[in-house]
Amino acid sequence: MPVTTRRIPFRDLETWVQVTEPEAPVPGALPLVVLHGGPGMAHDYVRNIAALADETGRTVVHYDQVGCGRSTHRPDAPEDFWTPALFVAEFRNVVAALGLERYHVLGQSWGGMLGAEIAITRPEGLASLAICNSPASMRLWVEGANALRAELPDDVRAALDAHEADGTIEDPAYLAATRVFYDRHVCRVQPTPQDFLDTEAQLLDDPTVYHTMNGVNEFFVTGTLQGWSVVEEVAGIAAPTLVIAGEFDEATPATWAPFVERIPDVRSHVFPDASHCTHLEQPEAFRTVVAAFLAEHDADAEAFEPS
């Protein structure tokens, strides 16, 4: 598949963008823009979604959100610099720079949260939205994480509690305990896929955005997103929406239920024996479900009119 990269100016920053073109384009197949998670976890762990280019005959766009990966980093930026509004504006800038008039959006984890923020504004070109492994509020996310944490072995829970209370979250014993949670509820593939390791390595090099907005780790949320919620606002999403989750996902059913209950045109799909990184654990099945949804909304994309 032909792959090109470029850097797109955004304010006084630059966004690194990768565009994957299909060998055999399908007429009417709209581009797909993929939003990675974190915040601050570069696109590498979702790059296998680019296979949809040849599988569906459409262009697939990945980009590293500012603050991570190959885009501009700002480790000294003030806390209030990193907001959902910043990343919504960056998305709009990427779409405009690429000249995308009609497009699909797929967001994974934080990317799905960002996708919801974008869809709430009813952008004229949005043909469909896929929210993958994402919560509708951080309160629900933390409640779900605490429930999953309570199911961990006693010694693992004790290690987590003790080191969080002492502030020794860099201790190897704490990191080992967090790995137990990750292996159950974040990515169940062993050994961990290289794409995920590549993203982890970039996060460790500069965790500014993740630590500022999310916090210490996936289940110890101390960042500025603690109060984030779109539970009330998602009723205003007009684009057809697909909600995806895994059976053992750290995004538990209660966290994404508001999407299904409140978005007018919505469906959901839960993958058995999968967790948070469904696209890495069951890549072919994941892409099959997404491809069918995209194809359905390629056909009526021209008729879609936001109100």
Side-chain angles (χ1 to χ4, degrees):
M1 295 179 291
V3 178
T4 59
T5 63
R6 60 185 285 191
R7 304 182 72 85
I8 294 176
F10 170 57
R11 299 178 181 174
D12 61 340
L13 312 164
E14 287 187 325
T15 304
W16 178 91
V17 178
Q18 175 181 287
V19 179
T20 305
E21 302 283 356
E23 291 282 0
V26 172
L30 298 174
L32 172 66
V33 182
V34 180
L35 307 176
H36 67 70
M41 299 185 72
H43 88 284
D44 301 65
Y45 82 103
V46 290
R47 59 185 161 197
N48 72 347
I49 297 173
L52 283 169
D54 265 356
E55 291 172 358
T56 69
R58 76 183 68 250
T59 298
V60 177
V61 177
H62 286 82
Y63 67 94
D64 287 342
Q65 296 157 27
V66 290
C68 73
R70 300 148 191 83
S71 295
T72 304
H73 289 231
R74 282 289 166 82
D76 298 325
E79 183 177 273
D80 61 4
F81 180 80
W82 306 109
T83 64
L86 170 74
F87 296 105
V88 172
E90 181 186 28
F91 166 82
R92 290 175 176 156
N93 187 66
V94 168
V95 165
L98 295 178
L100 304 182
E101 296 181 359
R102 289 282 186 181
Y103 52 84
H104 304 285
V105 167
L106 181 152
Q108 199 279 333
S109 195
W110 151 253
M113 297 159 64
L114 176 57
E117 289 268 11
I118 292 164
I120 288 165
T121 69
R122 298 191 176 191
E124 186 174 348
L126 182 61
S128 79
L129 170 67
I131 298 174
C132 305
N133 320 97
S134 310
S137 88
M138 290 305 286
R139 179 185 63 80
L140 294 172
W141 174 270
V142 170
E143 289 174 357
N146 287 339
L148 295 175
R149 180 168 167 157
E151 298 173 356
L152 296 173
D154 291 346
D155 60 327
V156 174
R157 294 202 318 275
L160 294 174
D161 292 343
H163 287 289
E164 288 168 4
D166 293 342
T168 52
I169 56 175
E170 300 298 326
D171 189 283
Y174 182 78
L175 299 178
T178 63
R179 180 55 57 184
V180 175
F181 182 94
Y182 277 48
D183 289 347
R184 287 186 177 204
H185 302 296
V186 179
C187 185
R188 294 166 71 88
V189 178
Q190 296 297 324
T192 302
Q194 187 61 47
D195 286 354
F196 191 91
L197 294 175
D198 290 346
T199 285
E200 279 192 326
Q202 293 186 62
L203 176 65
L204 290 172
D205 283 344
D206 182 4
T208 302
V209 181
Y210 186 81
H211 284 175
T212 300
M213 297 183 72
N214 184 80
V216 175
N217 54 45
E218 293 293 282
F219 53 85
F220 189 28
V221 178
T222 57
T224 58
L225 285 179
Q226 285 182 83
W228 179 87
S229 174
V230 288
V231 170
E232 300 300 325
E233 293 87 346
V234 295
I237 292 178
T241 302
L242 170 66
V243 177
I244 284 176
E247 178 184 3
F248 301 107
D249 205 325
E250 61 177 335
T252 59
T255 70
W256 48 265
F259 294 132
V260 177
E261 294 167 354
R262 293 172 180 263
I263 296 175
D265 184 357
V266 66
R267 71 189 68 171
S268 61
H269 187 98
V270 177
F271 286 86
D273 300 320
S275 66
H276 194 57
C277 288
T278 311
H279 66 285
L280 290 175
E281 298 162 330
Q282 299 180 23
E284 292 82 9
F286 175 89
R287 293 198 303 271
T288 295
V289 169
V290 171
F293 177 74
L294 298 180
E296 179 180 343
H297 297 292
D298 283 334
D300 65 358
E302 289 299 321
F304 171 68
E305 293 291 341
S307 55

